[in-house]
Amino acid sequence: MDYPEYFARFYDIIYNSMRSEVDTDFYLKKISETSGRVLEIGVGTGRFFAAALKKGADIYGIDISKSMINILLKKIDLEYHGRVSMQNAVDFRFPFRFNMILAPFRVFSHLLTVQEQLSALNNIYDHLEEGGHLIFDLYVPDPALTASGMSNYTDFSGEYEPGKKFSRTVDMKADIVNQISNITMTFRWDEDEVARTESWNFKFRFYFRYELEHLIERSKLALDNIYGNFNGGELTEGSKEFIVVCCRL
Ligand SMILES: C[S@@+](CC[C@H](N)C(=O)[O-])C[C@H]1O[C@@H](n2cnc3c(N)ncnc32)[C@H](O)[C@@H]1O
């Protein structure tokens, strides 16, 4: 699914403030500890990618959204543009393998069907060196929020440039049987003294712990562990994140 231009445009403003504190140190450390090639699937605007390249990582990135890739390309020198390509997790191809593959910030929630999920996992396996790892994260479903949904919830309000206002509101209704959140994000911002509004509807897949274990068991990958936070903590009742670590044996 291609992210709309306006979402790509405001992505860093929203998630540098809402997310980067949670996951950036973790992923940059994993990248810097890897000797050999790294692939980031769903590289997006390059929240980690641009910094990793600067630190000398041998990193490649793929994404299916042209809008997101266009933002990333503006952050990196022309000589590195060949490291970024528009490819799908499900069927990407490289003529070489990787020592580490990452899919940070809920990329797997965009894979709605079991067929897509398994194809992606097996494709990742085929592109890993023996002993190489896959790390991805997902959110742990919140039972209360899943039941109540969300209505007109403003999760970001600020300025995208000095004096230019921008806000985002979210509506969400969960389909429990299909484990799908039906989400509408509405963006409102000032542009040339005109008030702009755009809404984007999309589906996001949520996962449960044993489902993840069984899914990986069905794939060619081996599960190392599912952690409950980015500090290596165990999964507990209060965990908000699944950090899934798999290996090509
Ligand atoms: C929530 S963003 C995360 C971006 C980046 N990893 C980060 O942490 O900021 C999810 C990204 O995954 C990409 N994506 C969604 N489905 C994909 C797929 N099947 N293959 C590759 N990328 C995908 C989206 O275009 C988007 O850029």
Side-chain angles (χ1 to χ4, degrees):
M1 169 214 319
D2 203 1
Y3 279 28
E5 296 286 342
Y6 51 86
F7 188 17
R9 175 180 175 190
F10 296 125
Y11 184 92
D12 284 345
I13 298 169
I14 299 172
Y15 293 108
N16 282 342
S17 106
M18 275 172 46
R19 183 69 180 177
S20 289
E21 208 170 284
V22 177
D23 60 5
T24 303
D25 287 351
F26 173 85
Y27 281 114
L28 286 181
K29 188 158 181 276
K30 290 293 171 198
I31 294 167
S32 71
E33 285 171 357
T34 302
S35 57
R37 287 190 197 96
V38 178
L39 172 65
E40 185 181 344
I41 296 178
V43 66
T45 61
R47 244 174 5 107
F48 315 120
F49 190 88
L53 256 188
K54 275 208 180 100
K55 289 183 177 178
D58 189 0
I59 189 167
Y60 292 75
I62 64 166
D63 202 290
I64 53 169
S65 295
K66 196 164 189 305
S67 56
M68 298 288 273
I69 286 181
N70 284 342
I71 303 276
L72 164 56
L73 293 180
K74 284 186 198 142
K75 295 181 185 172
I76 60 175
D77 290 342
L78 198 58
E79 63 181 295
Y80 299 120
H81 283 202
R83 288 176 173 266
V84 179
S85 54
M86 212 166 101
Q87 299 201 64
N88 195 320
V90 167
D91 56 11
F92 68 87
R93 291 286 177 268
F94 283 91
F96 43 73
R97 290 187 189 165
F98 298 88
N99 296 82
M100 171 73 83
I101 299 185
L102 306 169
F105 200 20
R106 306 170 183 174
V107 173
F108 266 71
S109 282
H110 286 296
L111 305 179
L112 302 183
T113 67
V114 172
Q115 192 51 53
E116 284 177 297
Q117 294 151 14
L118 279 175
S119 298
L121 289 171
N122 287 333
N123 193 27
I124 287 167
Y125 174 96
D126 291 341
H127 285 82
L128 275 174
E129 297 285 4
E130 273 177 31
H133 286 89
L134 161 69
I135 304 180
F136 62 100
D137 63 81
L138 293 160
Y139 66 92
V140 177
D142 174 335
L145 198 56
T146 307
S148 67
M150 235 186 242
S151 178
N152 203 25
Y153 174 71
T154 301
D155 70 348
F156 187 90
S157 180
E159 292 183 338
Y160 66 96
E161 278 170 25
K164 293 190 177 177
K165 286 199 188 114
F166 160 66
S167 71
R168 181 175 81 171
T169 56
V170 182
D171 291 83
M172 186 278 288
K173 192 171 182 339
D175 167 352
I176 307 248
V177 169
N178 293 305
Q179 292 178 219
I180 298 278
S181 292
N182 293 291
I183 300 175
T184 303
M185 290 181 173
T186 301
F187 297 75
R188 294 182 180 83
W189 73 100
D190 298 337
E191 184 100 71
D192 303 327
E193 293 173 26
V194 177
R196 297 273 316 267
T197 303
E198 295 280 356
S199 287
W200 177 38
N201 301 312
F202 64 98
K203 293 180 185 301
F204 218 44
R205 178 71 148 69
F206 56 88
Y207 294 77
F208 292 99
R209 182 251 186 102
Y210 292 120
E211 171 193 17
L212 284 169
E213 292 187 9
H214 289 152
L215 187 66
I216 289 152
E217 183 68 35
R218 284 181 69 192
S219 79
K220 296 192 270 186
L221 288 160
L223 180 64
D224 270 5
N225 209 343
I226 304 180
Y227 297 96
N229 60 42
F230 287 102
N231 299 318
E234 289 191 2
L235 267 179
T236 65
E237 223 185 325
S239 298
K240 302 259 186 282
E241 315 266 357
F242 295 121
I243 321 294
V244 186
V245 182
C246 307
C247 181
R248 174 172 174 152
L249 295 175

PDB file of all heavy atoms in Angstrom, residues 75-100:
ATOM      1  N   LYS A  75      17.498  12.812   1.910  1.00  0.00           N
ATOM      2  CA  LYS A  75      18.363  12.876   3.101  1.00  0.00           C
ATOM      3  C   LYS A  75      19.750  12.296   2.864  1.00  0.00           C
ATOM      4  O   LYS A  75      20.616  12.424   3.713  1.00  0.00           O
ATOM      5  CB  LYS A  75      17.731  12.073   4.253  1.00  0.00           C
ATOM      6  CG  LYS A  75      16.426  12.622   4.761  1.00  0.00           C
ATOM      7  CD  LYS A  75      15.936  11.733   5.907  1.00  0.00           C
ATOM      8  CE  LYS A  75      14.578  12.132   6.395  1.00  0.00           C
ATOM      9  NZ  LYS A  75      14.030  11.174   7.347  1.00  0.00           N
ATOM     10  N   ILE A  76      19.919  11.567   1.756  1.00  0.00           N
ATOM     11  CA  ILE A  76      21.202  10.865   1.566  1.00  0.00           C
ATOM     12  C   ILE A  76      21.873  11.291   0.264  1.00  0.00           C
ATOM     13  O   ILE A  76      21.189  11.693  -0.682  1.00  0.00           O
ATOM     14  CB  ILE A  76      21.013   9.318   1.611  1.00  0.00           C
ATOM     15  CG1 ILE A  76      20.073   8.828   0.520  1.00  0.00           C
ATOM     16  CG2 ILE A  76      20.508   8.887   2.989  1.00  0.00           C
ATOM     17  CD1 ILE A  76      19.940   7.312   0.451  1.00  0.00           C
ATOM     18  N   ASP A  77      23.204  11.185   0.230  1.00  0.00           N
ATOM     19  CA  ASP A  77      23.948  11.599  -0.962  1.00  0.00           C
ATOM     20  C   ASP A  77      23.595  10.703  -2.151  1.00  0.00           C
ATOM     21  O   ASP A  77      23.287   9.521  -1.987  1.00  0.00           O
ATOM     22  CB  ASP A  77      25.458  11.510  -0.693  1.00  0.00           C
ATOM     23  CG  ASP A  77      25.904  12.580   0.297  1.00  0.00           C
ATOM     24  OD1 ASP A  77      25.154  13.554   0.476  1.00  0.00           O
ATOM     25  OD2 ASP A  77      26.983  12.405   0.897  1.00  0.00           O
ATOM     26  N   LEU A  78      23.721  11.304  -3.330  1.00  0.00           N
ATOM     27  CA  LEU A  78      23.382  10.621  -4.580  1.00  0.00           C
ATOM     28  C   LEU A  78      24.094   9.264  -4.715  1.00  0.00           C
ATOM     29  O   LEU A  78      23.523   8.294  -5.203  1.00  0.00           O
ATOM     30  CB  LEU A  78      23.766  11.545  -5.749  1.00  0.00           C
ATOM     31  CG  LEU A  78      23.138  11.258  -7.101  1.00  0.00           C
ATOM     32  CD1 LEU A  78      21.613  11.301  -7.017  1.00  0.00           C
ATOM     33  CD2 LEU A  78      23.637  12.279  -8.124  1.00  0.00           C
ATOM     34  N   GLU A  79      25.331   9.215  -4.232  1.00  0.00           N
ATOM     35  CA  GLU A  79      26.110   7.966  -4.388  1.00  0.00           C
ATOM     36  C   GLU A  79      25.456   6.779  -3.667  1.00  0.00           C
ATOM     37  O   GLU A  79      25.739   5.626  -3.953  1.00  0.00           O
ATOM     38  CB  GLU A  79      27.548   8.159  -3.894  1.00  0.00           C
ATOM     39  CG  GLU A  79      27.632   8.475  -2.427  1.00  0.00           C
ATOM     40  CD  GLU A  79      29.057   8.683  -1.925  1.00  0.00           C
ATOM     41  OE1 GLU A  79      29.853   7.734  -1.949  1.00  0.00           O
ATOM     42  OE2 GLU A  79      29.346   9.820  -1.495  1.00  0.00           O
ATOM     43  N   TYR A  80      24.541   7.070  -2.702  1.00  0.00           N
ATOM     44  CA  TYR A  80      23.895   5.995  -1.948  1.00  0.00           C
ATOM     45  C   TYR A  80      22.484   5.672  -2.452  1.00  0.00           C
ATOM     46  O   TYR A  80      21.834   4.770  -1.908  1.00  0.00           O
ATOM     47  CB  TYR A  80      23.820   6.357  -0.457  1.00  0.00           C
ATOM     48  CG  TYR A  80      25.175   6.565   0.176  1.00  0.00           C
ATOM     49  CD1 TYR A  80      25.515   7.782   0.755  1.00  0.00           C
ATOM     50  CD2 TYR A  80      26.113   5.530   0.196  1.00  0.00           C
ATOM     51  CE1 TYR A  80      26.763   7.978   1.332  1.00  0.00           C
ATOM     52  CE2 TYR A  80      27.364   5.718   0.769  1.00  0.00           C
ATOM     53  CZ  TYR A  80      27.677   6.944   1.333  1.00  0.00           C
ATOM     54  OH  TYR A  80      28.918   7.121   1.901  1.00  0.00           O
ATOM     55  N   HIS A  81      22.011   6.425  -3.459  1.00  0.00           N
ATOM     56  CA  HIS A  81      20.626   6.210  -3.899  1.00  0.00           C
ATOM     57  C   HIS A  81      20.380   4.782  -4.401  1.00  0.00           C
ATOM     58  O   HIS A  81      19.280   4.254  -4.275  1.00  0.00           O
ATOM     59  CB  HIS A  81      20.249   7.231  -4.986  1.00  0.00           C
ATOM     60  CG  HIS A  81      19.944   8.595  -4.420  1.00  0.00           C
ATOM     61  ND1 HIS A  81      19.190   9.543  -5.061  1.00  0.00           N
ATOM     62  CD2 HIS A  81      20.305   9.161  -3.226  1.00  0.00           C
ATOM     63  CE1 HIS A  81      19.086  10.635  -4.309  1.00  0.00           C
ATOM     64  NE2 HIS A  81      19.770  10.414  -3.196  1.00  0.00           N
ATOM     65  N   GLY A  82      21.419   4.168  -4.951  1.00  0.00           N
ATOM     66  CA  GLY A  82      21.290   2.791  -5.449  1.00  0.00           C
ATOM     67  C   GLY A  82      21.044   1.778  -4.339  1.00  0.00           C
ATOM     68  O   GLY A  82      20.678   0.627  -4.606  1.00  0.00           O
ATOM     69  N   ARG A  83      21.213   2.179  -3.099  1.00  0.00           N
ATOM     70  CA  ARG A  83      20.973   1.267  -1.968  1.00  0.00           C
ATOM     71  C   ARG A  83      19.495   1.213  -1.570  1.00  0.00           C
ATOM     72  O   ARG A  83      19.116   0.444  -0.704  1.00  0.00           O
ATOM     73  CB  ARG A  83      21.802   1.715  -0.749  1.00  0.00           C
ATOM     74  CG  ARG A  83      23.285   1.452  -0.926  1.00  0.00           C
ATOM     75  CD  ARG A  83      24.070   1.997   0.244  1.00  0.00           C
ATOM     76  NE  ARG A  83      25.464   1.607   0.159  1.00  0.00           N
ATOM     77  CZ  ARG A  83      25.992   0.525   0.745  1.00  0.00           C
ATOM     78  NH1 ARG A  83      25.246  -0.263   1.492  1.00  0.00           N
ATOM     79  NH2 ARG A  83      27.259   0.223   0.605  1.00  0.00           N
ATOM     80  N   VAL A  84      18.702   2.086  -2.182  1.00  0.00           N
ATOM     81  CA  VAL A  84      17.274   2.157  -1.830  1.00  0.00           C
ATOM     82  C   VAL A  84      16.458   1.759  -3.055  1.00  0.00           C
ATOM     83  O   VAL A  84      16.679   2.282  -4.145  1.00  0.00           O
ATOM     84  CB  VAL A  84      16.899   3.602  -1.408  1.00  0.00           C
ATOM     85  CG1 VAL A  84      15.416   3.692  -1.055  1.00  0.00           C
ATOM     86  CG2 VAL A  84      17.758   4.054  -0.228  1.00  0.00           C
ATOM     87  N   SER A  85      15.529   0.827  -2.879  1.00  0.00           N
ATOM     88  CA  SER A  85      14.721   0.424  -4.035  1.00  0.00           C
ATOM     89  C   SER A  85      13.264   0.203  -3.640  1.00  0.00           C
ATOM     90  O   SER A  85      12.960  -0.076  -2.483  1.00  0.00           O
ATOM     91  CB  SER A  85      15.291  -0.842  -4.688  1.00  0.00           C
ATOM     92  OG  SER A  85      15.425  -1.868  -3.730  1.00  0.00           O
ATOM     93  N   MET A  86      12.389   0.358  -4.655  1.00  0.00           N
ATOM     94  CA  MET A  86      10.965   0.163  -4.410  1.00  0.00           C
ATOM     95  C   MET A  86      10.660  -1.315  -4.619  1.00  0.00           C
ATOM     96  O   MET A  86      10.573  -1.785  -5.754  1.00  0.00           O
ATOM     97  CB  MET A  86      10.146   1.032  -5.369  1.00  0.00           C
ATOM     98  CG  MET A  86       8.866   1.496  -4.757  1.00  0.00           C
ATOM     99  SD  MET A  86       8.152   2.807  -5.724  1.00  0.00           S
ATOM    100  CE  MET A  86       6.929   1.900  -6.577  1.00  0.00           C
ATOM    101  N   GLN A  87      10.567  -2.053  -3.526  1.00  0.00           N
ATOM    102  CA  GLN A  87      10.310  -3.489  -3.598  1.00  0.00           C
ATOM    103  C   GLN A  87       9.408  -3.878  -2.435  1.00  0.00           C
ATOM    104  O   GLN A  87       9.358  -3.197  -1.407  1.00  0.00           O
ATOM    105  CB  GLN A  87      11.608  -4.279  -3.478  1.00  0.00           C
ATOM    106  CG  GLN A  87      12.639  -4.019  -4.555  1.00  0.00           C
ATOM    107  CD  GLN A  87      13.621  -5.181  -4.642  1.00  0.00           C
ATOM    108  OE1 GLN A  87      13.249  -6.305  -4.979  1.00  0.00           O
ATOM    109  NE2 GLN A  87      14.870  -4.926  -4.348  1.00  0.00           N
ATOM    110  N   ASN A  88       8.737  -5.018  -2.630  1.00  0.00           N
ATOM    111  CA  ASN A  88       7.781  -5.520  -1.634  1.00  0.00           C
ATOM    112  C   ASN A  88       8.452  -6.585  -0.757  1.00  0.00           C
ATOM    113  O   ASN A  88       9.207  -7.433  -1.277  1.00  0.00           O
ATOM    114  CB  ASN A  88       6.602  -6.142  -2.396  1.00  0.00           C
ATOM    115  CG  ASN A  88       5.393  -6.363  -1.515  1.00  0.00           C
ATOM    116  OD1 ASN A  88       5.522  -6.767  -0.348  1.00  0.00           O
ATOM    117  ND2 ASN A  88       4.226  -6.111  -2.066  1.00  0.00           N
ATOM    118  N   ALA A  89       8.160  -6.560   0.544  1.00  0.00           N
ATOM    119  CA  ALA A  89       8.692  -7.575   1.460  1.00  0.00           C
ATOM    120  C   ALA A  89       8.395  -8.996   0.976  1.00  0.00           C
ATOM    121  O   ALA A  89       9.178  -9.919   1.193  1.00  0.00           O
ATOM    122  CB  ALA A  89       8.065  -7.383   2.844  1.00  0.00           C
ATOM    123  N   VAL A  90       7.270  -9.135   0.305  1.00  0.00           N
ATOM    124  CA  VAL A  90       6.780 -10.456  -0.086  1.00  0.00           C
ATOM    125  C   VAL A  90       7.639 -11.089  -1.194  1.00  0.00           C
ATOM    126  O   VAL A  90       7.833 -12.305  -1.211  1.00  0.00           O
ATOM    127  CB  VAL A  90       5.301 -10.307  -0.550  1.00  0.00           C
ATOM    128  CG1 VAL A  90       4.792 -11.531  -1.271  1.00  0.00           C
ATOM    129  CG2 VAL A  90       4.425  -9.958   0.644  1.00  0.00           C
ATOM    130  N   ASP A  91       8.177 -10.261  -2.092  1.00  0.00           N
ATOM    131  CA  ASP A  91       8.868 -10.863  -3.254  1.00  0.00           C
ATOM    132  C   ASP A  91      10.108 -10.068  -3.683  1.00  0.00           C
ATOM    133  O   ASP A  91      10.487 -10.104  -4.846  1.00  0.00           O
ATOM    134  CB  ASP A  91       7.895 -11.013  -4.437  1.00  0.00           C
ATOM    135  CG  ASP A  91       7.251  -9.683  -4.812  1.00  0.00           C
ATOM    136  OD1 ASP A  91       7.706  -8.633  -4.307  1.00  0.00           O
ATOM    137  OD2 ASP A  91       6.308  -9.690  -5.618  1.00  0.00           O
ATOM    138  N   PHE A  92      10.728  -9.324  -2.747  1.00  0.00           N
ATOM    139  CA  PHE A  92      11.935  -8.559  -3.117  1.00  0.00           C
ATOM    140  C   PHE A  92      13.052  -9.516  -3.546  1.00  0.00           C
ATOM    141  O   PHE A  92      13.047 -10.705  -3.181  1.00  0.00           O
ATOM    142  CB  PHE A  92      12.395  -7.664  -1.955  1.00  0.00           C
ATOM    143  CG  PHE A  92      12.935  -8.414  -0.760  1.00  0.00           C
ATOM    144  CD1 PHE A  92      14.266  -8.789  -0.684  1.00  0.00           C
ATOM    145  CD2 PHE A  92      12.096  -8.751   0.296  1.00  0.00           C
ATOM    146  CE1 PHE A  92      14.762  -9.491   0.417  1.00  0.00           C
ATOM    147  CE2 PHE A  92      12.579  -9.448   1.399  1.00  0.00           C
ATOM    148  CZ  PHE A  92      13.909  -9.823   1.462  1.00  0.00           C
ATOM    149  N   ARG A  93      13.977  -8.966  -4.344  1.00  0.00           N
ATOM    150  CA  ARG A  93      15.118  -9.771  -4.805  1.00  0.00           C
ATOM    151  C   ARG A  93      16.410  -8.967  -4.693  1.00  0.00           C
ATOM    152  O   ARG A  93      16.436  -7.773  -5.009  1.00  0.00           O
ATOM    153  CB  ARG A  93      14.945 -10.155  -6.285  1.00  0.00           C
ATOM    154  CG  ARG A  93      13.817 -11.139  -6.548  1.00  0.00           C
ATOM    155  CD  ARG A  93      14.179 -12.557  -6.103  1.00  0.00           C
ATOM    156  NE  ARG A  93      13.058 -13.465  -6.300  1.00  0.00           N
ATOM    157  CZ  ARG A  93      12.137 -13.740  -5.381  1.00  0.00           C
ATOM    158  NH1 ARG A  93      12.202 -13.187  -4.188  1.00  0.00           N
ATOM    159  NH2 ARG A  93      11.155 -14.579  -5.635  1.00  0.00           N
ATOM    160  N   PHE A  94      17.469  -9.624  -4.255  1.00  0.00           N
ATOM    161  CA  PHE A  94      18.830  -9.066  -4.295  1.00  0.00           C
ATOM    162  C   PHE A  94      19.753 -10.186  -4.767  1.00  0.00           C
ATOM    163  O   PHE A  94      19.498 -11.362  -4.463  1.00  0.00           O
ATOM    164  CB  PHE A  94      19.278  -8.590  -2.905  1.00  0.00           C
ATOM    165  CG  PHE A  94      18.685  -7.275  -2.484  1.00  0.00           C
ATOM    166  CD1 PHE A  94      17.491  -7.235  -1.776  1.00  0.00           C
ATOM    167  CD2 PHE A  94      19.310  -6.072  -2.805  1.00  0.00           C
ATOM    168  CE1 PHE A  94      16.926  -6.025  -1.395  1.00  0.00           C
ATOM    169  CE2 PHE A  94      18.756  -4.854  -2.420  1.00  0.00           C
ATOM    170  CZ  PHE A  94      17.575  -4.836  -1.721  1.00  0.00           C
ATOM    171  N   PRO A  95      20.832  -9.817  -5.455  1.00  0.00           N
ATOM    172  CA  PRO A  95      21.751 -10.857  -5.928  1.00  0.00           C
ATOM    173  C   PRO A  95      22.743 -11.283  -4.848  1.00  0.00           C
ATOM    174  O   PRO A  95      23.741 -11.927  -5.147  1.00  0.00           O
ATOM    175  CB  PRO A  95      22.475 -10.163  -7.093  1.00  0.00           C
ATOM    176  CG  PRO A  95      22.433  -8.716  -6.760  1.00  0.00           C
ATOM    177  CD  PRO A  95      21.197  -8.475  -5.950  1.00  0.00           C
ATOM    178  N   PHE A  96      22.511 -10.858  -3.611  1.00  0.00           N
ATOM    179  CA  PHE A  96      23.390 -11.237  -2.495  1.00  0.00           C
ATOM    180  C   PHE A  96      22.535 -11.378  -1.242  1.00  0.00           C
ATOM    181  O   PHE A  96      21.354 -11.019  -1.240  1.00  0.00           O
ATOM    182  CB  PHE A  96      24.504 -10.202  -2.290  1.00  0.00           C
ATOM    183  CG  PHE A  96      24.039  -8.772  -2.376  1.00  0.00           C
ATOM    184  CD1 PHE A  96      23.290  -8.199  -1.350  1.00  0.00           C
ATOM    185  CD2 PHE A  96      24.333  -7.989  -3.494  1.00  0.00           C
ATOM    186  CE1 PHE A  96      22.858  -6.892  -1.426  1.00  0.00           C
ATOM    187  CE2 PHE A  96      23.902  -6.662  -3.573  1.00  0.00           C
ATOM    188  CZ  PHE A  96      23.152  -6.127  -2.539  1.00  0.00           C
ATOM    189  N   ARG A  97      23.175 -11.911  -0.188  1.00  0.00           N
ATOM    190  CA  ARG A  97      22.442 -12.119   1.072  1.00  0.00           C
ATOM    191  C   ARG A  97      22.872 -11.107   2.134  1.00  0.00           C
ATOM    192  O   ARG A  97      23.880 -10.420   1.966  1.00  0.00           O
ATOM    193  CB  ARG A  97      22.711 -13.526   1.585  1.00  0.00           C
ATOM    194  CG  ARG A  97      22.062 -14.598   0.737  1.00  0.00           C
ATOM    195  CD  ARG A  97      22.247 -15.910   1.446  1.00  0.00           C
ATOM    196  NE  ARG A  97      21.855 -17.036   0.637  1.00  0.00           N
ATOM    197  CZ  ARG A  97      22.184 -18.294   0.928  1.00  0.00           C
ATOM    198  NH1 ARG A  97      22.941 -18.554   1.982  1.00  0.00           N
ATOM    199  NH2 ARG A  97      21.777 -19.278   0.170  1.00  0.00           N
ATOM    200  N   PHE A  98      22.130 -11.108   3.235  1.00  0.00           N
ATOM    201  CA  PHE A  98      22.350 -10.141   4.314  1.00  0.00           C
ATOM    202  C   PHE A  98      22.667 -10.867   5.626  1.00  0.00           C
ATOM    203  O   PHE A  98      22.196 -11.984   5.858  1.00  0.00           O
ATOM    204  CB  PHE A  98      21.099  -9.273   4.506  1.00  0.00           C
ATOM    205  CG  PHE A  98      20.766  -8.464   3.282  1.00  0.00           C
ATOM    206  CD1 PHE A  98      19.969  -8.988   2.277  1.00  0.00           C
ATOM    207  CD2 PHE A  98      21.286  -7.182   3.121  1.00  0.00           C
ATOM    208  CE1 PHE A  98      19.686  -8.254   1.133  1.00  0.00           C
ATOM    209  CE2 PHE A  98      21.005  -6.440   1.981  1.00  0.00           C
ATOM    210  CZ  PHE A  98      20.205  -6.983   0.986  1.00  0.00           C
ATOM    211  N   ASN A  99      23.415 -10.171   6.500  1.00  0.00           N
ATOM    212  CA  ASN A  99      23.681 -10.729   7.835  1.00  0.00           C
ATOM    213  C   ASN A  99      22.583 -10.360   8.821  1.00  0.00           C
ATOM    214  O   ASN A  99      22.401 -11.028   9.836  1.00  0.00           O
ATOM    215  CB  ASN A  99      25.030 -10.224   8.354  1.00  0.00           C
ATOM    216  CG  ASN A  99      26.149 -10.720   7.471  1.00  0.00           C
ATOM    217  OD1 ASN A  99      26.409 -10.128   6.425  1.00  0.00           O
ATOM    218  ND2 ASN A  99      26.762 -11.819   7.835  1.00  0.00           N
ATOM    219  N   MET A 100      21.894  -9.266   8.495  1.00  0.00           N
ATOM    220  CA  MET A 100      20.792  -8.813   9.365  1.00  0.00           C
ATOM    221  C   MET A 100      19.695  -8.219   8.491  1.00  0.00           C
ATOM    222  O   MET A 100      19.990  -7.446   7.566  1.00  0.00           O
ATOM    223  CB  MET A 100      21.317  -7.751  10.340  1.00  0.00           C
ATOM    224  CG  MET A 100      20.271  -7.036  11.152  1.00  0.00           C
ATOM    225  SD  MET A 100      19.583  -8.091  12.438  1.00  0.00           S
ATOM    226  CE  MET A 100      20.840  -7.899  13.712  1.00  0.00           C
TER     227      MET A 100
END
